[in-house]
Amino acid sequence: MDYRKEYERWCACASADADVAAELKTMDDAKVEDAFYRDLSFGTGGLRGVIGAGTNRMNIYTVAKASQGLADYLNKHFDKPSVSIGYDSRIKSDVFAKAAAGVFAANGVQVNIWPVLMPVPTVSFATRYLDTSAGVMVTASHNPSKYNGYKVYGADGCQITTEAAAEILAEIEKLDIFADVKSISFEEGLAQGKVKYIPDEVYTAFVEEVKKQSVLFGETVNKDVAIVYSPLNGTGLKPVTRTLKEMGYANITVVKEQEQPDGHFPTCPYPNPEIKEAMALGMEYAKKCHADLLLATDPDCDRVGIAVRNKDGKYVLLSGNETGILLLDYVCSQRVKHGKMPTDPVMVKTIVTTDMGQQIADHYGVRTINVLTGFKFIGEQIGLLEKQGKAASYIFGFEESYGYLSGSYVRDKDGVNGAYLICEMFSYYATQGISLLDKLNELYKTYGYRLNTLHSYEFDGSAGFAKMQGIMKTFHEEVGPGKQVDSFAGKKIEKTLDYSQGLDGLPKSDVLKYLLEGNCSVVVRPSGTEPKLKTYISVSAESREKAEEMEKEVVKGLEKFLH
């Protein structure tokens, strides 16, 4: 693509959005190149990018083009195609959702749209509940405020497969962004009945399904625990507080500054509960309120972060891996105790998630399925179980990036389900005088201490993208048994799992997992949604101190390749 010519064409044609038109007038050549050197990539995660003018940006034109491609795909595969649409609190999320709705309506695809902003899992749920052909969620999850995105779900409520994404992309690539997109206004769609609001009964049905995830099975616990909750200016406020209150958790303090939806995220520039800074205000509230438990959900409410008090009265953040193994052990132990474990029980986790999950599952006789990074692959496994008539076999799925799901009612991680289950688990142990930190230490005593860390390295723009590809090539060629680098921190690499070849029946993906001696591992992968290279390190040791020392050495070894 001649990016200068495309830029000039946009200057002439892109007049429908005043923000885009104004930005086009102020761009210098470097900005023009970055905004137009490629089309925003469309894959299994849909679209994600910086909001702004250009083919490599999120705007009403790139959203409309993707929606036209998706509409063409749906019209080929369904006699009466339909779609469920949701959007979060991000800048222009509602604008993009309505732009998409206008394109679907003009192409004969019946639109069902949430009337207010809603969490990601409610789109997966609505797609299944209303039996629509697809679902679309306008969100960039936990990214900074300059980002937005467009997630696509199949008729099963799971994010689209690699095959479907490739087919939809082929439809998108046939289109001219200005000449080939059919659209009517959102209001026109509503007036003609081509766009309908999703009724409140669907939201209530979603909340009821979340409430059914309790594994107390009639046991009584003290629900008067003091909870501080932050929706991080996103979509979690209403569904999370409603679910908790309906299940008896009334002692909830919401972080005022982060209570209402605000796509600028003024008090948490990176609204990701994985990051300490995003949890800082909630921690202050927890101290002031002497809270027992701090919960925070990300803007689209599919991730949950937590903090609990230690014996010194200080609040300690738990990682996604730590919360995940606690929940897994809680769900398994409760099911075994009450005779509610299904035949052939299954737990699903991603390959970058702690392998301790598999040890716990083995202990309870639960089968582990390992999948590629991304909760869509966990959702896909639930779908496969359902096709075999074994949906009830699925008892839990989790990923290290704070995503959890304990039921098969949706096919994506669910922060509402996660928040509720965490509160129940906390109350269950608190009633017995056990803290979550006590329980975690007990698990480490049983299975050995394990430290899991994630390090991200940013590579912006076209030059960064090329550099990232070069780094991955070097890892493929130079690291592994019998290669130039055959150990990290003195730990021999015993085996390389190269997922770019399509291992264990999984789709091909540019991911390398190095299995080191002593039950340690390193995973290297480019992010599918951000200009980042991510490394996941898992270290087993007798103590935390030894694990931290070893982890630092592994990081040093890895970083030689990243500069």
Side-chain angles (χ1 to χ4, degrees):
M1 178 174 20
D2 182 335
Y3 71 85
R4 286 287 329 170
K5 271 190 185 155
E6 189 61 14
Y7 164 68
E8 282 156 17
R9 202 163 76 94
W10 274 59
C11 287
C13 301
S15 57
D17 183 320
D19 292 343
V20 167
E23 189 185 339
L24 287 166
K25 286 175 187 164
T26 63
M27 294 170 102
D28 61 25
D29 199 56
K31 282 182 180 164
V32 168
E33 183 184 0
D34 193 44
F36 288 93
Y37 82 93
R38 64 171 187 163
D39 286 347
L40 203 57
S41 61
F42 182 93
T44 54
L47 300 170
R48 193 175 296 186
V50 173
I51 302 160
T55 55
N56 187 31
R57 297 284 184 267
M58 281 293 294
N59 51 63
I60 58 167
Y61 306 103
T62 51
V63 165
K65 184 181 177 184
S67 301
Q68 181 66 54
L70 178 53
D72 292 342
Y73 167 84
L74 294 174
N75 275 313
K76 279 186 179 173
H77 288 271
F78 297 89
D79 293 333
K80 289 183 178 172
S82 56
V83 64
S84 298
I85 300 178
Y87 58 93
D88 68 4
S89 63
R90 287 185 171 272
I91 296 162
K92 290 189 182 278
S93 277
D94 56 341
V95 175
F96 295 158
K98 286 175 180 177
V103 173
F104 292 126
N107 284 276
V109 178
Q110 177 62 50
V111 176
N112 304 274
I113 187 167
W114 284 108
V116 291
L117 46 80
M118 280 281 185
V120 153
T122 64
V123 172
S124 175
F125 184 80
T127 302
R128 294 171 59 73
Y129 189 92
L130 299 170
D131 199 20
T132 60
S133 322
V136 167
M137 177 73 186
V138 180
T139 177
S141 189
H142 55 281
N143 287 116
S145 61
K146 66 180 182 177
Y147 284 89
N148 213 327
Y150 180 101
K151 262 174 127 167
V152 181
Y153 293 86
D156 57 357
C158 189
Q159 277 187 67
I160 48 170
T161 61
T162 314
E163 295 76 25
E167 209 180 321
I168 295 163
L169 176 60
E171 295 294 341
I172 294 168
E173 286 179 335
K174 290 177 192 172
L175 304 169
D176 179 275
I177 200 162
F178 296 114
D180 298 333
V181 178
K182 285 184 269 187
S183 179
I184 60 173
S185 76
F186 182 75
E187 291 69 27
E188 203 182 328
L190 275 176
Q192 293 174 13
K194 293 175 178 177
V195 176
K196 288 178 184 167
Y197 286 122
I198 296 171
D200 206 44
E201 69 173 72
V202 184
Y203 173 43
T204 298
F206 167 76
V207 172
E208 289 304 316
E209 284 295 336
V210 174
K211 285 156 64 178
K212 283 181 197 166
Q213 299 314 309
S214 169
V215 286
L216 287 174
F217 304 116
E219 280 186 76
T220 306
V221 296
N222 171 24
K223 293 182 178 179
D224 193 35
V225 292
I227 298 162
V228 165
Y229 169 58
S230 172
L232 296 180
N233 302 118
T235 58
L237 179 67
K238 288 178 182 174
V240 170
T241 55
R242 174 177 169 177
T243 303
L244 291 179
K245 283 172 183 170
E246 287 182 12
M247 293 309 284
Y249 297 91
N251 190 357
I252 304 167
T253 302
V254 178
V255 176
K256 199 82 195 137
E257 297 87 337
Q258 298 171 345
E259 182 173 13
Q260 294 307 320
D262 184 345
H264 294 282
F265 310 118
T267 58
C268 50
Y270 203 168
N272 182 354
E274 294 177 67
I275 291 170
K276 210 164 42 178
E277 290 75 12
M279 303 290 279
L281 198 53
M283 299 270 269
E284 281 176 35
Y285 264 72
K287 281 174 205 157
K288 272 186 231 157
C289 303
H290 304 291
D292 299 309
L293 175 65
L294 165 66
L295 295 170
T297 51
D298 67 341
D300 59 348
C301 194
D302 59 358
R303 297 167 193 241
V304 195
I306 71 168
V308 291
R309 259 195 319 226
N310 66 12
K311 286 185 172 68
D312 303 327
K314 288 184 179 148
Y315 288 88
V316 179
L317 291 165
L318 296 192
S319 71
N321 277 316
E322 288 169 333
T323 305
I325 57 175
L326 282 165
L327 285 170
L328 173 64
D329 183 75
Y330 171 65
V331 168
C332 289
S333 62
Q334 285 294 98
R335 282 181 172 275
V336 167
K337 182 164 89 173
H338 291 278
K340 300 282 187 184
M341 192 65 93
T343 48
D344 185 28
V346 170
M347 182 275 285
V348 191
K349 71 171 194 68
T350 61
I351 56 173
V352 298
T353 298
T354 179
D355 294 323
M356 191 169 160
Q358 189 153 350
Q359 290 175 278
I360 292 168
D362 289 348
H363 172 79
Y364 288 104
V366 173
R367 181 161 61 96
T368 299
I369 299 175
N370 282 291
V371 294
L372 292 176
T373 312
F375 217 90
K376 58 181 171 273
F377 295 112
I378 296 176
E380 187 177 34
Q381 291 300 322
I382 302 170
L384 293 171
L385 287 167
E386 189 178 49
K387 278 178 190 159
Q388 297 161 30
K390 289 181 170 182
S393 289
Y394 171 82
I395 60 162
F396 193 63
F398 77 112
E399 59 183 4
E400 50 69 49
S401 55
Y402 295 56
Y404 319 104
L405 179 67
S406 66
S408 61
Y409 60 98
V410 290
R411 299 296 147 84
D412 209 339
K413 52 187 177 277
D414 181 2
V416 188
N417 169 217
Y420 167 47
L421 209 56
I422 288 162
C423 289
E424 179 178 291
M425 170 177 71
F426 183 92
S427 298
Y428 173 80
Y429 289 126
T431 304
Q432 299 169 44
I434 300 167
S435 77
L436 288 188
L437 295 173
D438 292 336
K439 190 67 198 173
L440 191 58
N441 286 328
E442 186 192 305
L443 291 176
Y444 285 142
K445 273 184 193 144
T446 307
Y447 301 100
Y449 184 79
R450 196 181 278 266
L451 176 66
N452 293 276
T453 59
L454 161 64
H455 299 266
S456 294
Y457 304 88
E458 214 154 316
F459 297 90
D460 284 320
S462 53
F465 182 71
K467 187 172 183 184
M468 209 154 55
Q469 287 180 311
I471 291 167
M472 285 307 295
K473 188 169 184 277
T474 305
F475 271 108
H476 278 282
E477 290 171 357
E478 296 180 13
V479 181
K483 293 185 179 174
Q484 204 169 317
V485 175
D486 62 359
S487 67
F488 287 113
K491 294 260 178 200
K492 278 267 177 216
I493 300 172
E494 293 182 333
K495 191 177 182 184
T496 303
L497 301 176
D498 183 353
Y499 289 91
S500 67
Q501 305 304 308
L503 283 182
D504 303 328
L506 298 172
K508 292 179 181 180
S509 182
D510 194 12
V511 181
L512 290 163
K513 184 167 185 173
Y514 299 106
L515 304 179
L516 316 183
E517 61 187 340
N519 220 4
C520 303
S521 68
V522 170
V523 178
V524 185
R525 62 174 276 267
S527 167
T529 55
E530 300 166 278
K532 287 180 178 177
L533 196 72
K534 296 187 172 186
T535 62
Y536 303 78
I537 299 160
S538 181
V539 172
S540 289
E542 309 90 86
S543 68
R544 186 179 187 101
E545 293 70 35
K546 287 194 174 167
E548 283 173 349
E549 267 174 48
M550 197 189 304
E551 192 268 352
K552 276 181 192 155
E553 291 305 309
V554 173
V555 172
K556 273 188 207 164
L558 281 168
E559 287 186 341
K560 286 175 187 167
F561 294 90
L562 300 170
H563 298 302

